[in-house]
């Protein structure tokens, strides 16, 4: 039974798709708040605060499922239920707004579809010390000469010590920023990853892992960007950006912060270049080898030269990942 | 002692295996508390032979530290406190009830208890597993005998809790706990009534 369960619990990879879509609405006050309910996909709650006689035409985000959107705009609209407070307020969905996703879709897949960084608390496994504690607790549990209260007491104390040791190693939620580049296409993206909650400001695309997670978008005022929340999920917001200054093609660090770099020639292995000073070239002497994070070098086409790196920053984890022109 | 030792060896082995080979193991993403509960509930109610040694104290002295470590690892990995607490309390309640029922049945007549245990634990799990592995015909989802029995099955509760993301949804197994309580009462009082009737 246990073996069957273990076989079934193997994780399966899921397809990723954009979950951030936009609807255009016509609103007329008095209106306190409105909800765009997209069923199982999630909802958008907006504090509107329109006064009587005031009217606005707005564009609001709504978390649709990719299959609903692929079925056509009419089908996607049919999944959205609009409700207002007060219920007598006038609000009308005009249609799905042309999203930035259409323009993002024209970017090469080698740029748009890359491995996303892990975010959120890391999965901890039992340390050797904790294993030894529970093993000792097990041996103590076998001491049948002891009184039952002593055996249970020892088990409880040792179990609490092992659990406290695991809790002391817990890492807090993380947020990650990745600057993705394709020098062949001359295009750059910024990917912001966060656990359970992400600000929507400036985002053009939203990817969620697990892909089917229910999303809750909250907007505090019609002119505010809002935040998206998904319990236990990893959220990745994507937008185009202008990219760093020149210098990457010549092997220099174009950033004003130091950059820890790994490079790879087309078809070759990854090589650790070392810590590049701000706006500077690699050091002359080869550094001791270091291994790049797996997600950063994974699934990056091997037919083109590439650079990956980590920006030195005390505030957040920031990475660079660039494919050079073929 | 033997079922308790076997449960400890399996649950301890799973945690050690995960520590040794980490991400290569297919339980990656599962709840460690759920895994310990799955093993605990698999062995808590196993029918004992008349006169066999074994006690609730053995089971909980051996499995308690593993469950606490599993809960600590889940919390440190981002599981919500409410979900871990809910799974832990329900698992403990079910394990105490099933283990008590097995103990009482061992001292008196264990046939009814053994029959119920075989029906509600291994058979229910096997049926639910077989149904899940069989493609549904028409709109017959979740309507089979296995799915109905799985509502009372402590292993189904533990398996749902242990799977990846299972702790995100607090589960309630009042029906299973109630049935286990009835089994305890039944195995306690039925033999006494028979003795009274004979006398």
């Amino acid at each position: 039974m246990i073996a069957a369960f273990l076989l079934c619990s193997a994780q399966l990879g899921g397809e990723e798709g954009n979950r951030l879509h936009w609807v255009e609405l016509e609103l007329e006050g008095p209106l306190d708040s409105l909800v765009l309910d997209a069923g199982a996909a999630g909802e958008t709650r907006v504090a509107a605060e329109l006064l009587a006689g005031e009217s606005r035409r707005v564009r609001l985000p709504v978390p649709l499922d990719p299959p609903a959107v692929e079925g056509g705009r009419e089908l996607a609209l049919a999944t959205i239920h609009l409700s207002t407070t007060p219920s007598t307020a006038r609000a009308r969905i005009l249609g799905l707004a042309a999203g930035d996703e259409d323009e993002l879709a024209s970017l090469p897949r080698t740029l748009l579809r890359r491995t996303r960084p892990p975010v959120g608390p890391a999965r901890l496994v039992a340390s050797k010390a904790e294993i030894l504690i529970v093993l000792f607790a097990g041996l103590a549990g076998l001491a049948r000469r002891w009184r039952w209260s002593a055996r249970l007491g020892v088990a409880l104390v040792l179990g609490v010590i092992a659990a406290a040791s695991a809790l002391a190693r817990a890492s807090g939620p993380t947020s990650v920023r990745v600057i993705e580049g394709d020098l062949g296409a001359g295009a750059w993206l910024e990917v912001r990853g966060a656990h359970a909650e992400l600000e929507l400001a400036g985002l053009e695309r939203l990817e969620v892992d697990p892909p089917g997670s229910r999303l809750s978008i909250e907007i505090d005022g019609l002119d505010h960007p809002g935040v998206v929340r998904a319990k236990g999920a990893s959220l990745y917001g994507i937008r185009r950006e202008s990219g760093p200054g020149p210098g990457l093609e010549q092997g220099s660090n174009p950033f004003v912060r130091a950059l820890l770099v790994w490079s790879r020639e087309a078809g070759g292995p990854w090589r650790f270049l070392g810590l590049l000073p701000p706006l500077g070239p690699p050091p002359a002497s080869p550094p001791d080898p270091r291994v790049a994070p797996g997600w950063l070098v994974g699934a990056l086409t091997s037919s083109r030269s590439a650079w990956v790196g980590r920006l030195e920053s005390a505030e957040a984890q920031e990475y660079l990942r660039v494919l050079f022109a073929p | 002692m033997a079922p308790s030792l076997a449960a400890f060896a399996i649950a301890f082995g799973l945690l050690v295996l995960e520590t040794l080979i980490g991400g290569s193991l297919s339980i990656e993403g599962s709840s460690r508390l759920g895994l310990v509960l799955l093993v605990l509930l698999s062995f808590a109610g196993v029918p004992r032979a008349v006169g066999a040694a074994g006690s609730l104290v053995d089971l909980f002295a051996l499995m308690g530290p593993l469950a606490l470590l599993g809960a600590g690892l889940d919390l440190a990995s981002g599981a919500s406190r409410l979900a871990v607490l809910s799974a832990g309390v329900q698992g403990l309640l079910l394990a105490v009830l099933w283990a008590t029922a097995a103990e009482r049945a061992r001292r008196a007549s264990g046939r009814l208890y053994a029959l119920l245990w075989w029906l509600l634990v291994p058979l229910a799990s096997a049926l639910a597993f077989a149904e899940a592995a069989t493609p549904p015909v028409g709109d017959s989802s979740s309507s089979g005998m296995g799915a109905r029995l799985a509502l009372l099955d402590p292993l189904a509760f533990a398996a749902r809790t242990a799977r990846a993301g299972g702790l995100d949804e607090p589960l309630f197994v009042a029906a299973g706990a109630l049935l286990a309580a009835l089994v305890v009462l039944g195995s306690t009082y039925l033999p006494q009534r028979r003795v009274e009737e004979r006398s």
Side-chain angles (χ1 to χ4, degrees):
Chain A
M1 191 62 59
I2 294 166
F5 164 71
L6 292 178
L7 281 173
C8 290
S9 68
Q11 289 186 348
L12 299 172
E15 259 193 38
E16 290 178 345
N18 181 34
R19 296 288 305 275
L20 186 63
H21 299 273
W22 301 85
V23 287
E24 279 190 273
L25 294 105
E26 204 168 60
L27 310 174
E28 204 173 300
L31 176 64
D32 293 335
S33 63
L34 66 93
V35 177
L36 292 163
D37 187 348
E43 64 178 16
T44 300
R45 290 184 172 274
V46 186
E49 293 175 357
L50 284 185
L51 301 174
E54 201 178 353
S55 65
R56 289 275 299 270
R57 191 170 169 147
V58 294
R59 184 171 170 266
L60 293 174
V62 62
L64 294 176
D65 267 335
V69 181
E70 284 159 15
R73 285 175 176 263
E74 292 302 318
L75 185 64
L77 274 179
T79 65
I80 303 171
H81 176 71
L82 170 65
S83 58
T84 59
T85 306
S87 56
T88 51
R90 290 186 63 185
R92 190 162 65 96
I93 298 177
L94 300 174
L96 270 186
D100 303 303
E101 166 69 7
D102 298 340
E103 293 177 40
L104 278 179
S106 64
L107 294 175
R109 286 182 66 83
T110 50
L111 177 64
L112 197 57
R113 296 288 184 164
R114 289 183 179 174
T115 318
R116 302 296 175 221
V119 289
R123 178 179 169 84
L124 288 184
V125 297
S127 69
K128 286 173 186 163
E130 288 149 14
I131 292 284
L132 282 175
I133 290 171
V134 290
L135 180 62
F136 183 72
L139 292 174
L142 293 174
R144 301 191 83 180
R145 288 182 187 172
W146 294 5
R147 290 177 58 189
W148 67 269
S149 55
R151 291 169 67 196
L152 287 181
V154 168
L156 183 68
V157 168
L158 291 176
V160 168
I161 290 172
S165 162
L167 281 170
R169 293 187 293 124
S171 58
T174 58
S175 62
V176 183
R177 178 173 175 256
V178 189
I179 300 164
E180 305 272 15
D182 187 327
L183 296 184
W188 291 87
L189 293 176
E190 181 198 34
V191 177
R192 280 189 282 130
H195 180 69
E197 183 176 314
L198 183 72
E199 288 199 16
L200 285 173
L203 295 189
E204 297 174 73
R205 179 181 169 88
L206 176 68
E207 294 175 1
V208 183
D209 185 24
S213 303
R214 181 179 167 78
L215 303 181
S216 171
I217 295 177
E218 284 185 30
I219 301 174
D220 189 18
L222 289 172
D223 298 318
H224 291 85
V227 294
V228 56
R229 295 189 178 91
K231 195 176 170 188
S234 300
L235 301 165
Y236 301 100
I238 299 167
R239 68 175 175 187
R240 283 164 294 170
E241 74 148 44
S242 55
L248 268 177
E249 291 92 336
Q250 289 77 41
S252 284
N253 175 8
F255 296 95
V256 293
R257 280 174 289 161
L259 181 66
L260 200 64
V261 176
W262 292 262
S263 75
R264 188 199 62 193
E265 298 295 327
W270 284 101
R271 194 164 55 93
F272 182 50
L273 281 188
L275 188 67
L276 277 62
L279 306 169
S285 56
D288 293 335
R290 285 177 66 171
V291 178
W295 67 265
L296 196 57
V297 296
L300 207 57
T301 176
S302 60
S303 61
R304 290 164 66 182
S305 302
W307 256 35
V308 297
R310 197 183 77 211
L311 281 159
E312 293 295 296
S313 167
E315 293 154 9
Q317 292 185 46
E318 291 188 86
Y319 295 89
L320 168 78
R321 185 160 46 179
V322 182
L323 278 176
F324 287 87
Chain B
M1 181 63 90
S4 306
L5 258 181
F8 177 80
I10 292 172
F12 182 75
L14 285 172
L15 291 182
V16 170
L17 210 60
E18 195 187 29
T19 298
L20 292 180
I21 58 178
S24 321
L25 195 61
S26 63
I27 60 172
E28 173 81 6
S30 308
S31 153
R32 272 62 61 87
L33 172 62
L35 284 173
V36 174
L37 287 180
L38 182 65
V39 179
L40 174 63
L41 290 169
S42 301
F43 286 90
V46 173
R48 280 92 153 137
V50 174
S55 73
L56 267 172
V57 177
D58 287 338
L59 195 65
F60 290 104
L62 286 166
M63 296 299 286
L66 288 172
L68 284 167
L69 174 58
L73 290 170
D74 286 344
L75 287 171
S77 303
S80 85
R81 288 178 191 176
L82 179 67
V84 170
L85 186 70
S86 162
V89 169
Q90 290 176 73
L92 183 71
L93 177 70
L94 277 180
V96 167
L97 286 169
W98 275 107
T100 308
E103 282 295 308
R104 297 287 172 102
R106 179 176 63 84
R107 288 176 201 160
S109 167
R111 285 183 189 170
L112 171 66
Y113 172 78
L115 185 70
L116 275 172
W117 185 84
W118 278 103
L119 178 69
L120 294 176
V121 184
L123 184 65
S125 296
L127 272 175
F129 181 70
E131 283 181 3
T134 310
V137 179
D139 190 25
S140 61
S141 55
S142 303
S143 59
M145 174 71 118
R148 284 195 292 270
L149 275 177
L151 294 174
L152 307 172
D153 179 6
L155 292 192
F157 154 75
R160 280 191 309 239
T161 306
R163 75 186 173 194
L167 278 178
D168 292 340
E169 306 162 19
L171 297 161
F172 300 94
V173 285
L178 190 64
L179 191 80
L182 287 175
V183 171
V184 173
L185 289 173
S187 57
T188 304
Y189 292 113
L190 276 178
Q192 288 178 3
R193 281 181 60 189
R194 278 186 200 141
V195 170
E196 285 165 9
E197 281 166 10
R198 279 175 200 158
S199 61

